[in-house]
Amino acid sequence: MSEALNETEQTALRAASEAFVLIRMLTARPMSPEAQQIIHDMADAFHNVPEQCAGGAEQRKANAFLIQAAVRNGVKAYNKHGLASRHLPTAV
């Protein structure tokens, strides 16, 4: 049986889901250079999260740095673009 996700993993997974919704919203209208950059930054920040969170407890522990990096990079991306996250500490 797999161990439950820790708080950081849960936060990263929720933030990744939020970023995917943002990406979907941005692609629903004409693509501006700013929208392309936001999409790039969000995808870059969160691309490892689903696979890492789906792994077993040992894999998640060994690769915890990837989840921690996703959270840090997600905060940077949201702040860079003046966006707020419901799941990450961001400044608007």
Side-chain angles (χ1 to χ4, degrees), residues 43-83:
D44 191 46
F46 294 111
H47 71 276
N48 284 318
V49 171
E51 183 175 353
Q52 294 308 315
C53 287
E58 282 186 37
Q59 176 192 343
R60 293 194 327 266
K61 188 174 181 178
N63 295 320
F65 70 97
L66 292 171
I67 296 297
Q68 293 162 353
V71 169
R72 278 192 314 274
N73 292 335
V75 168
K76 288 178 187 177
Y78 274 96
N79 287 336
K80 174 182 174 182
H81 298 289
L83 301 169

